[in-house]
Amino acid sequence: MNNGDGRRLNREEEEEDEEDDENGRGLDAWERAYADDRSWESLQEDESGLLRPIDNKTLYHAQYRRRLRSLSSASTGARIQKGLIRYLYIVIDLSKAASEMDFKPSRMVVVAKQIEAFIREFFDQNPLSQIGLVIIKDGVAQCLTDLGGSPESHVKALMGKLECSGDSSLQNALDLVCDYLCQIPSYGHREVLILYSALSTCDPGDIMETIQKCKKSKIRCSVIGLSAEIFICKYICQETGGLYSVALDESHLKELVLEHAPPPPAIAEFAIANLIRMGFPQRAAEGVISICSCHKEAKVGGGYTCPRCKARVCELPTECRICGLTLVSSPHLARSFHHLFPITPFDDVSLPSLPIGPHHMLPKNCFGCQQSLRDPGNKPIPCVFCPKCKQHFCLDCDIYIHESLHNCPGCESFRQSKSVSAT
């Protein structure tokens, strides 16, 4: 074979290799697009074995109503003091068990998706609180992010570490988290939320001693399992006053995770009123170069200035790295206030037997958004009414009022009309 034939064969082999690589990349891209699209979530099998689309809006409303009822039943009777300043570590199991595909496309991907949604919901409901991330893999617990109030930094750090390997160790995770939480101020409520995929734990010592250490440090540990009920996880929650549950599917996992977003009842030792020193920093001047105390970098403009030591920080709420003063803004305090005086849950309207009377007849439109409460066939659709002002609302307005507005428009309008008539 001459040199020309050899070069021709080499070029043909290279072209075939390039085609195989392109086909492999195309297949990987198709798989990624399929995983991102998650089209299987919008279908379910009916009684006849046919696939039909799922009414996700109805499922979301049902989950919301169940969560609202559980919160209202837990707070009946005397008013319960809430832990508004929370320090929460989220422990994520990234052992080889997290690569199982019983949750589509895998447990790891589903957990990361729910944790991202939880972090954003957590800071929306707890603006004075902080979160830290810890991962378990290869039998070692690693602190992914320190306690902080920036949801974007936590999400970015989590998405960059999605790799599964090795075994899981609950003891190493609890020891690491306990060492961090023991350093926070006495008024802070110490919590741990563990999303556990494994069926066992590979510990270097006696985990019972670690559990008692967490209990003595007043750390509330909660566990959400993705495989089956495990005795040691249940024992941890019982000893520390946390919640233990096992997710049945992805929608159930989302519901279980979001249950930890509202502030829990305060522990008796922390419920005692004490003075919490806080500072309200001013916005730093634009165009001024200063060194950020949280990142140790020189930045131009933006940020906030500590009123005590004049150090610069990037985000609020946080603690000043120089003088240790808790820095917040007035909107953070205002957004935390509604947990102390929550709105009464609205009652469901029983459509088959609507109450009779001029004040209880189902109106045509929602009092909030003015959308029709009847379908095209003039039949009533599911709705709720406020037990105080007797005004009717659609389910979307019910969610918006209780999760975002935190004031009943019907009660507020009645209060305003009453004050106007009195004057």
Side-chain angles (χ1 to χ4, degrees):
M1 181 182 296
N2 56 26
N3 293 335
D5 295 336
R7 286 193 295 270
R8 187 181 305 109
L9 291 176
N10 291 335
R11 285 198 299 270
E12 291 178 355
E13 292 176 356
E14 291 177 357
E15 291 177 355
E16 291 178 357
D17 293 339
E18 291 177 357
E19 291 179 358
D20 293 338
D21 293 341
E22 291 178 357
N23 293 333
R25 285 195 296 269
L27 181 61
D28 293 339
W30 177 85
E31 289 177 345
R32 287 195 299 271
Y34 178 70
D36 294 338
D37 183 39
R38 306 176 67 85
S39 57
W40 61 84
E41 294 182 353
S42 59
L43 298 174
Q44 71 178 6
E45 186 177 357
D46 59 9
E47 298 177 354
S48 61
L50 300 177
L51 294 178
R52 60 183 178 85
I54 299 176
D55 190 358
N56 292 320
K57 190 173 183 179
T58 303
L59 291 177
Y60 176 69
H61 288 153
Q63 293 175 359
Y64 164 75
R65 297 299 296 171
R66 286 198 301 269
R67 187 167 72 251
L68 191 63
R69 290 193 196 98
S70 63
L71 293 176
S72 62
S73 60
S75 60
T76 54
R79 181 170 294 154
I80 299 176
Q81 184 170 344
K82 300 284 188 176
L84 299 183
I85 303 179
R86 307 167 63 186
Y87 293 85
L88 172 67
Y89 268 103
I90 303 177
V91 179
I92 306 169
D93 181 9
L94 291 183
S95 62
K96 58 184 179 182
S99 60
E100 295 290 337
M101 301 178 64
D102 49 351
F103 287 75
K104 301 298 181 182
S106 67
R107 294 180 183 177
M108 176 188 66
V109 175
V110 172
V111 167
K113 175 184 174 183
Q114 302 304 331
I115 288 298
E116 179 181 1
F118 170 78
I119 290 175
R120 301 186 189 283
E121 180 68 18
F122 178 87
F123 285 114
D124 183 65
Q125 297 199 33
N126 307 270
L128 299 179
S129 303
Q130 298 183 25
I131 277 182
L133 297 181
V134 172
I135 59 175
I136 316 174
K137 59 190 307 184
D138 299 322
V140 179
Q142 175 187 356
C143 183
L144 196 59
T145 59
D146 295 326
L147 288 170
S150 173
E152 298 300 333
S153 61
H154 294 308
V155 172
K156 183 179 179 180
L158 175 62
M159 295 307 173
K161 291 290 185 179
L162 293 181
E163 297 178 355
C164 303
S165 62
D167 298 322
S168 181
S169 176
L170 280 173
Q171 184 182 12
N172 287 335
L174 292 178
D175 281 333
L176 179 64
V177 169
C178 187
D179 292 339
Y180 283 118
L181 291 179
C182 287
Q183 303 175 8
I184 69 171
S186 59
Y187 56 78
H189 294 264
R190 307 164 184 176
E191 302 175 50
V192 179
L193 176 59
I194 305 174
L195 282 92
Y196 204 66
S197 298
L199 285 171
S200 61
T201 174
C202 183
D203 300 325
D206 188 2
I207 190 175
M208 297 300 177
E209 296 181 359
T210 304
I211 295 174
Q212 295 304 317
K213 180 182 177 182
C214 294
K215 182 179 180 180
K216 185 178 180 181
S217 302
K218 302 297 185 298
I219 299 176
R220 179 188 281 114
C221 301
S222 300
V223 182
I224 299 177
L226 279 81
S227 52
E229 184 173 304
I230 307 174
F231 168 77
I232 191 62
C233 295
K234 188 174 183 180
Y235 181 77
I236 291 173
C237 299
Q238 290 176 348
E239 289 294 309
T240 60
L243 301 176
Y244 179 57
S245 51
V246 179
L248 303 178
D249 50 32
E250 184 173 352
S251 60
H252 188 217
L253 174 63
K254 179 181 180 180
E255 187 175 350
L256 294 176
V257 171
L258 291 180
E259 285 181 357
H260 297 272
I267 301 177
E269 288 79 358
F270 296 151
I272 303 174
N274 52 7
L275 178 63
I276 302 176
R277 192 179 298 275
M278 293 184 177
F280 296 89
Q282 294 181 350
R283 186 79 178 180
E286 297 293 338
V288 178
I289 301 177
S290 58
I291 298 178
C292 171
S293 62
C294 47
H295 296 93
K296 307 295 189 298
E297 298 177 355
K299 297 185 178 181
V300 180
Y304 303 88
T305 303
C306 175
R308 176 188 286 175
C309 65
K310 307 303 179 184
R312 171 181 168 172
V313 295
C314 293
E315 298 172 337
L316 297 178
T318 185
E319 291 184 3
C320 180
R321 299 294 182 90
I322 306 301
C323 63
L325 181 65
T326 302
L327 303 177
V328 299
S329 64
S330 54
H332 292 147
L333 293 178
R335 286 166 53 195
S336 302
F337 183 75
H338 70 268
H339 289 296
L340 303 178
F341 304 97
I343 304 177
T344 304
F346 293 167
D347 296 331
D348 294 320
V349 176
S350 179
L351 298 181
S353 57
L354 289 174
I356 301 175
H359 299 290
H360 300 279
M361 293 299 294
L362 182 65
K364 293 183 179 180
N365 299 324
C366 168
F367 185 82
C369 63
Q370 296 300 313
Q371 294 292 326
S372 176
L373 295 178
R374 302 178 186 276
D375 58 12
N378 201 29
K379 294 182 179 180
I381 62 175
C383 60
V384 295
F385 72 95
C386 176
K388 294 182 178 179
C389 64
K390 307 302 181 183
Q391 297 293 346
H392 290 73
F393 300 91
C394 64
L395 298 183
D396 290 331
C397 285
D398 178 26
I399 297 176
Y400 174 71
I401 290 171
H402 284 88
E403 293 192 350
S404 301
L405 189 60
H406 305 297
N407 284 298
C408 175
C411 296
E412 292 297 326
S413 61
F414 175 76
R415 191 176 295 112
Q416 291 179 2
S417 61
K418 188 177 180 180
S419 61
V420 171
S421 60
T423 55

